[in-house]
Amino acid sequence: MRLTRSLLCSLFTVALVPAAILSLAPAGAAAPLPDGNGVEVVAHRGASADAPENTLAAVEEAIAQDADSIEVDVQRTADGHLVLLHDVTLTRTTDVERVFPDRALDPVGEFTLDELKRLDAGSWFGPEFAGEPIPTFDELLERTGDRAALLIELKEPARYPGIGSEVAAAIGDPRPGVVVQSFDHDVMTAFAAVAPDVPAGWLFGTRPTTAELDAAAEHADQVNPSFRVVDEALLAAVAERGMQTGVYTVNDEADMRRMIDTGVHRIITDRPGVLRKVLAG
Ligand code: G3P
Ligand code: CA
C-alpha cells in the first residue's frame, strides 16, 4: 500500500476516532484498528431501509441519521453520464415497464440520461417518494459536498470501459473519506494506476484468500467483504498488509455488535441510525 493512499484513507478516520488510539500507518505497516466508537457508519445505497436506494432522498435520510459516509452504485448512460443505480436493469426500482414497455429489460447503459430522468425511482418504495428521480453522480457530489463522505462502488464496470477514470475526474481533488470500490479487481487494479491518489477498496463476496489479500495490498486501502465471512483472523491478515476492513451489509443489531467487537473499521448498513445508536451503547 502506498503512503498517499494510507494517508488519504486515514484522514477521515482520524476525524472519527480519538487521537489517542490512532497513529497514521506508514506504508506496509498494520492499519490502526479503531475502538467500537470509532467505527465508521456507512449508509448502504443511502439510508435504504427508510428511503428508495441510490436516490437523493436516501442520501438526505442518511445524513439525517448521522451517517459518516454514503455508499452508492455508479453506472453510465448510453450518452456518457454517470448515474446512481444498483441493478443492471431498471425494473425493480423504477416504473420503466410503464414508461418504456418495449425496453423494460434493457440494461441501464442503453438508456440516455434524458430517458432515465423520465422514470420514477421512488414510487416502488412508497407513495411519499413518488417522482423521486435517478440522480447523476454530479448531482450526488453537489448535494453531499462536505456533509458526508462517499463510498463509491463501480457497479459491473466491465460494461463501462473507462468508468473508473470518469469517476476519478468527476471527484476532482481527492476528498478525505471519499473511496472508490468494486468487486471487479481487474478494474480496480487499472483504477489504482489512473487514480493513484483516490483511496480504493476491493469488495469480496466470499472470504478472500491469502493470494487475493496480497494482490489487494498492492492496489488498495480497504478490503470490504460480506460480514458473513469476517472474523478476527481475517481482520488481522488485512491489517498486517496495511489495509482496513469494511463489512457489508449489516442490518441486524446483534450482527452490528459482533462486527464492532471484531474490530472492523467501517460497517455498511441500510440502517445507519440504528448502527449509530448501537455504537452509542
Ligand atoms: O458496499 C458493498 C455492497 O454495496 C456490495 O453489494 O450488491 O449491495 O452492491 P451490493
Ligand atoms: Ca453497492
Side-chain angles (χ1 to χ4, degrees):
M1 182 177 62
R2 283 163 287 191
L3 182 57
T4 50
R5 290 191 166 281
S6 176
L7 187 58
L8 283 163
C9 200
S10 298
L11 280 172
F12 190 68
T13 307
V14 166
L16 300 171
V17 181
I21 62 168
L22 266 183
S23 61
L24 292 178
L33 293 173
D35 69 3
N37 290 328
V39 173
E40 189 178 317
V41 175
V42 184
H44 182 238
R45 313 180 193 173
S48 57
D50 297 303
E53 65 184 56
N54 282 315
T55 65
L56 294 183
V59 167
E60 289 295 344
E61 183 61 30
I63 292 170
Q65 293 186 19
D66 201 20
D68 298 307
S69 179
I70 299 168
E71 192 263 1
V72 294
D73 302 289
V74 177
Q75 300 188 58
R76 190 171 67 204
T77 67
D79 52 342
H81 296 273
L82 302 174
V83 290
L84 306 190
L85 272 166
H86 179 272
D87 295 3
V88 168
T89 63
L90 296 150
T91 50
R92 182 177 63 85
T93 59
T94 77
D95 57 349
V96 67
E97 291 175 15
R98 183 183 66 79
V99 179
F100 300 106
D102 299 334
R103 301 169 61 196
L105 295 178
D106 288 357
V108 170
E110 294 187 8
F111 290 81
T112 65
L113 181 60
D114 280 350
E115 289 171 338
L116 291 186
K117 284 294 188 183
R118 290 171 57 190
L119 300 177
D120 175 350
S123 288
W124 71 275
F125 191 86
E128 67 272 36
F129 296 104
E132 189 69 30
I134 293 169
T136 65
F137 185 57
D138 285 343
E139 288 168 344
L140 171 76
L141 294 173
E142 189 176 336
R143 180 64 72 93
T144 51
D146 59 4
R147 295 192 298 156
L150 297 171
L151 180 57
I152 302 155
E153 181 180 348
L154 307 179
K155 184 55 80 182
E156 302 260 353
R159 291 174 177 267
Y160 309 109
I163 193 171
S165 301
E166 293 168 8
V167 165
I171 295 169
D173 292 335
R175 292 194 270 169
V178 173
V179 177
V180 173
Q181 65 171 0
S182 183
F183 285 102
D184 188 325
H185 303 156
D186 291 336
V187 166
M188 291 311 298
T189 297
F191 180 81
V194 299
D197 292 331
V198 179
W202 282 24
L203 283 160
F204 291 89
T206 55
R207 189 183 178 94
T209 64
T210 298
E212 287 172 328
L213 291 178
D214 288 344
E218 292 290 318
H219 307 290
D221 309 276
Q222 298 181 9
V223 167
N224 296 337
S226 163
F227 79 94
R228 298 180 192 284
V229 305
V230 167
D231 56 23
E232 289 180 6
L234 178 59
L235 287 191
V238 173
E240 278 167 15
R241 291 164 174 79
M243 298 178 287
Q244 297 187 345
T245 304
V247 289
Y248 70 89
T249 304
V250 189
N251 291 328
D252 178 84
E253 290 183 36
D255 291 328
M256 290 175 181
R257 287 193 189 90
R258 185 166 64 83
M259 287 297 104
I260 293 164
D261 291 345
T262 304
V264 299
H265 292 84
R266 55 191 55 78
I267 294 177
I268 301 164
T269 176
D270 299 340
R271 307 166 75 202
V274 171
L275 175 56
R276 183 62 73 197
K277 284 182 187 145
V278 169
L279 284 167

